[in-house]
Amino acid sequence: MSSKIEDFILLSGGDLSADVAEQINTKLSSIPTISSTQIHKVRMSKSKEFKTALLEGPLAKPTTLAIFITQTIENEAPPEDAGACIRFFKRKTHPETLLSDKIQFAVLGLGDSNLLLDRQHTAAKDCNQVAQMLDVRLEALGGQRFCQRGESDERTALTEVEPWIDVLIAKIKECL
């Protein structure tokens, strides 16, 4: 069960994920009880920034919601701008308690099934491997999942993004 939310960290890597993070930022900012000082945008390429925000700094607490917006590009890889963050969380040397009592998280995947060889029988779930891996890994490291992972596909014009954001915002409003 999700607890009260006081702060938000929007983590993005790549131009498309930054655009979606801005959409989420706009919706969060429109909630009267949320001030702009509660919303923190962090690029996934900035290792020190995301590690401090998620693990060490004043935002590393159970009332912080970290929203990861991540793309999958060819060969099931993250874009270069997200690589540092994704590689950090994939490390097998992390203790299972790395994120315990630190953050709640939500993951939105942005994929493109046009990049897959078998485009005839694919959907958003087939082109969001980075988001799928990150979601599972964050939970394995002790993070508390705030809402179900979202997965979208550029081939369908990312039509899955807006409904996922709406569900996220509705759940956030319940936890303020």
Side-chain angles (χ1 to χ4, degrees):
M1 170 142 189
S2 302
S3 62
K4 183 174 175 62
I5 301 296
E6 295 173 355
D7 291 287
F8 305 89
I9 304 171
L10 299 173
L11 296 110
S12 63
D15 293 336
L16 179 58
S17 62
D19 292 344
V20 174
E22 194 52 46
Q23 279 181 266
I24 295 171
N25 181 47
T26 299
K27 290 206 176 200
L28 285 173
S29 299
S30 71
I31 300 171
T33 55
I34 297 177
S35 76
S36 61
T37 60
Q38 293 172 274
I39 304 169
H40 311 272
K41 292 188 249 178
V42 177
R43 298 294 295 193
M44 293 171 107
S45 60
K46 306 287 186 190
S47 292
K48 187 172 180 166
E49 281 184 47
F50 75 73
K51 288 177 192 173
T52 299
L54 298 173
L55 304 173
E56 304 158 3
L59 296 175
K61 60 187 183 209
T63 56
T64 296
L65 174 59
I67 304 167
F68 292 82
I69 303 102
T70 183
Q71 294 170 251
T72 299
I73 57 174
E74 294 182 73
N75 301 319
E76 302 179 5
E80 189 175 332
D81 282 355
C85 184
I86 301 302
R87 284 189 301 277
F88 174 78
F89 284 111
K90 282 177 83 170
R91 287 185 194 153
K92 297 191 185 308
T93 56
H94 289 312
E96 292 178 4
T97 57
L98 181 73
L99 298 175
S100 295
D101 297 321
K102 291 200 172 84
I103 61 161
Q104 295 180 63
F105 70 89
V107 177
L108 174 61
L110 309 172
D112 187 351
S113 60
N114 286 313
L115 300 175
L116 302 174
L117 292 176
D118 182 18
R119 291 187 286 261
Q120 299 291 328
H121 302 63
T122 58
K125 69 178 178 55
D126 301 309
C127 59
N128 280 283
Q129 295 88 351
V130 172
Q132 293 162 359
M133 178 284 307
L134 182 62
D135 184 68
V136 169
R137 188 66 179 142
L138 293 172
E139 185 175 51
L141 292 172
Q144 182 183 354
R145 182 179 287 110
F146 182 76
C147 67
Q148 185 175 351
R149 176 183 63 242
E151 295 179 353
S152 63
D153 186 352
E154 281 193 70
R155 187 172 68 173
T156 59
L158 302 172
T159 55
E160 305 89 349
V161 170
E162 196 65 35
W164 185 85
I165 292 173
D166 291 342
V167 168
L168 175 72
I169 296 298
K171 190 158 185 185
I172 287 169
K173 287 179 178 177
E174 292 173 10
C175 295
L176 293 175

